[in-house]
Amino acid sequence: MVSNLAGGGQPHHGVEPGSQLGALETYAAQAHGYLSVGGDQLGQLPGLLRPMVLESWLRSVRGGVDPMDDGDGRGLRGADLERYRDAHAIAAVMPLVDKLLLRDATSTGLIVVVADQFGRVLSVHGNADRVQAAAEAGLREGNDLSERRVGTNAVGLVVRTGRAAWIHGPEHFLHRMHQITGAAAPVHDPDGRLVGVLMIAGGVRVARPEILALVKAAATAAEMDLLLAAVRSGQDRRAQTDAPAPERLGLEVLGLGQPQLTVAGERVPLSQRHAEILLLLAEHTEGLSADHLALLLDDADLDNATIRAAMSRLRSVVGSNVFGSRPYRLRVPIATDVEALRAALDSGDVDTAVRLYAGPVLPRSTAPGVIDIRDELRVRLRTAVLRSGDASVLSRWTAGAEGRDDAAAWAAYRATVDRESPLYAQIEAKIRVLDRRMGADATQLQRFDS
């Protein structure tokens, strides 16, 4: 039976940071008790959690998030993280964030977390000991804080809802995050799209209205900074409308990072839609009619006016002389990382192909034409890897996101390793884990040993 608050009531659903924290902790602890026996009753127990938090917990349960997960070390790290962070749109407002948040917050023992629009942590700022403690709880640079990955947390809720949120201690779905209180706010670009999340995190001191107000004010200031930058950029581009077309373009669309276009030696971040259009035009050198391009971009069949508007915006990014129309086509040669990977496969250089494969083609795109390219490339590469019989190729493939749970690849890798080596035992253990997890047919795994 759920006990009442002192005074006979339950916690107010719209509770502000700083009020009734003891009650929130008590009720959240009770909710974790129900969660430990399956979580089936959570939805039938109003009052245990704030409605927003309860809905997030239920999504976390349905998504299979383990509340006892202690982290597996996965995430974007090292040079890959640096490249992604430096190219990300929110990097442009970091001097402002430093001025408004980092100096004051970190000097008081709090930490500031900057995440991208998907919940990936780009940077963590603060006292070194505090940053280390936060990393142990899961707030580590490169980690994915999306609700899908780690359950209820402030950053994940902002990504999910697009609104500011705060989560206190045991309201977090994961036990390892119970010592954290976080207040987070969204940063939108001038078109209204989420580009990042700012969060102040620490102990109970964060559960105060002024902290949430501070991080929301900083996010709003960052949005204004992005708007002013867009206005200045638009003015510069209009001044360059009559500039000659560049001799060659470069397009990078592989992996989770923001798509990039290289123009005259300068790397320009691209939106998802612009990257989709450029990739499709690069694949169809004969050109595409507006109707055909619309079908490749959206199963719902975009109208021609929408396509014309998208092409107009893209011209403002790359220049008016890059494209022809009727049909839409590229007038300038464009080198893509997709093309480079295909060339490596065509020449039989599987090792280079695997090194070039930073990840799926525009992994967040749902454009039918892009999905076809993505699937074709993935199947070709995986087939080449499995047939290579090369230990270094198989090692690199199974170390990446695509091959981490690829049972057939692990079995092929095992076939290249000496049975007496410690590595063979490690691979064998991984295959057994996959066998249990995925219910794979053990006899199928053995065929690579013959």
Side-chain angles (χ1 to χ4, degrees):
M1 188 74 177
V2 178
S3 60
N4 290 329
L5 287 168
Q10 291 194 348
H12 188 270
H13 291 327
V15 63
E16 290 295 326
S19 62
Q20 301 180 317
L21 291 184
L24 285 181
E25 293 170 2
T26 298
Y27 281 92
Q30 291 179 5
H32 274 285
Y34 287 105
L35 195 61
S36 67
V37 294
D40 296 335
Q41 302 178 60
L42 282 177
Q44 304 169 21
L45 297 168
L48 278 183
L49 298 167
R50 292 183 283 152
M52 172 187 68
V53 177
L54 175 59
E55 291 170 5
S56 177
W57 274 41
L58 291 174
R59 289 192 297 266
S60 302
V61 170
R62 289 193 296 268
V65 179
D66 180 2
M68 301 306 295
D69 178 19
D70 61 357
D72 57 8
R74 288 186 293 182
L76 201 58
R77 304 284 186 248
D80 290 336
L81 174 61
E82 289 181 14
R83 283 194 296 270
Y84 179 58
R85 178 172 55 212
D86 292 346
H88 197 275
I90 208 165
V93 299
M94 283 308 297
L96 179 67
V97 173
D98 177 68
K99 179 179 179 181
L100 297 180
L101 283 186
L102 305 189
R103 298 174 189 176
D104 292 338
T106 58
S107 67
T108 59
L110 302 176
I111 63 170
V112 174
V113 176
V114 181
D116 70 5
Q117 66 272 40
F118 309 107
R120 185 181 299 280
V121 178
L122 298 178
S123 55
V124 182
H125 309 266
N127 174 275
D129 292 338
R130 302 281 185 179
V131 170
Q132 178 58 38
E136 293 171 0
L139 302 184
R140 179 183 178 188
E141 291 185 351
N143 277 13
D144 183 354
L145 294 185
S146 65
E147 188 181 81
R148 171 189 57 81
R149 178 70 185 89
V150 298
T152 307
N153 69 94
V155 169
L157 272 174
V158 171
V159 170
R160 174 84 187 193
T161 66
R163 299 189 300 272
W166 69 281
I167 294 294
H168 174 58
E171 289 187 308
H172 287 92
F173 192 75
L174 293 191
H175 280 262
R176 61 181 162 92
M177 301 182 81
H178 282 190
Q179 300 306 310
I180 298 171
T181 297
V187 178
H188 298 93
D189 69 10
D191 293 328
R193 294 169 299 199
L194 181 69
V195 294
V197 181
L198 303 180
M199 179 173 74
I200 294 179
V204 70
R205 284 182 299 160
V206 177
R208 289 158 40 193
E210 55 266 35
I211 296 295
L212 183 60
L214 173 63
V215 75
K216 288 168 69 175
T220 299
E223 291 175 346
M224 292 302 298
D225 213 38
L226 289 173
L227 178 60
L228 290 173
V231 171
R232 289 193 295 268
S233 177
Q235 292 170 342
D236 292 342
R237 284 175 184 144
R238 282 192 292 274
Q240 298 171 2
T241 298
D242 297 327
E247 294 182 1
R248 189 172 181 82
L249 300 172
L251 179 64
E252 300 171 35
V253 292
L254 290 172
L256 288 170
Q258 185 172 15
Q260 298 282 328
L261 181 70
T262 301
V263 184
E266 180 183 356
R267 287 163 60 86
V268 180
L270 289 174
S271 70
Q272 179 92 345
R273 179 61 85 198
H274 288 168
E276 290 169 343
I277 292 173
L278 280 172
L279 177 61
L280 291 169
L281 291 177
E283 293 282 306
H284 295 266
T285 55
E286 73 283 4
L288 293 167
S289 67
D291 288 338
H292 192 180
L293 181 57
L295 287 171
L296 291 174
L297 288 171
D298 195 328
D299 274 330
D301 193 5
L302 298 173
D303 59 47
N304 286 356
T306 303
I307 294 297
R308 285 196 298 271
M311 293 301 296
S312 176
R313 288 192 293 269
L314 182 54
R315 284 190 174 97
S316 72
V317 174
V318 301
S320 59
N321 297 321
V322 169
F323 301 106
S325 56
R326 298 182 181 179
Y328 292 118
R329 64 193 183 280
L330 288 167
R331 290 173 170 165
V332 176
I334 183 166
T336 71
D337 48 3
V338 169
E339 177 188 36
L341 198 154
R342 283 203 189 104
L345 290 173
D346 290 343
S347 67
D349 188 352
V350 185
D351 181 67
T352 296
V354 173
R355 291 174 185 275
L356 288 172
Y357 191 65
V361 177
L362 294 175
R364 301 181 186 94
S365 173
T366 58
V370 173
I371 291 173
D372 288 344
I373 298 168
R374 181 193 305 151
D375 291 346
E376 174 261 332
L377 202 65
R378 179 192 289 127
V379 170
R380 273 199 70 186
L381 180 59
R382 181 175 182 271
T383 301
V385 168
L386 292 178
R387 290 177 178 172
S388 71
D390 186 315
S392 64
V393 166
L394 289 160
S395 172
R396 184 175 293 276
W397 177 256
T398 52
E402 291 282 323
R404 187 176 294 123
D405 294 328
D406 187 340
W410 280 103
Y413 186 19
R414 180 181 60 186
T416 68
V417 176
D418 186 338
R419 287 178 176 270
E420 303 303 320
S421 73
L423 180 58
Y424 186 94
Q426 294 174 20
I427 296 173
E428 182 72 20
K430 175 66 176 183
I431 290 174
R432 289 177 181 173
V433 169
L434 292 176
D435 189 27
R436 288 194 299 270
R437 185 190 305 166
M438 304 169 63
D441 183 354
T443 58
Q444 181 181 0
L445 297 179
Q446 295 297 327
R447 67 189 175 91
F448 287 97
D449 284 336
S450 58

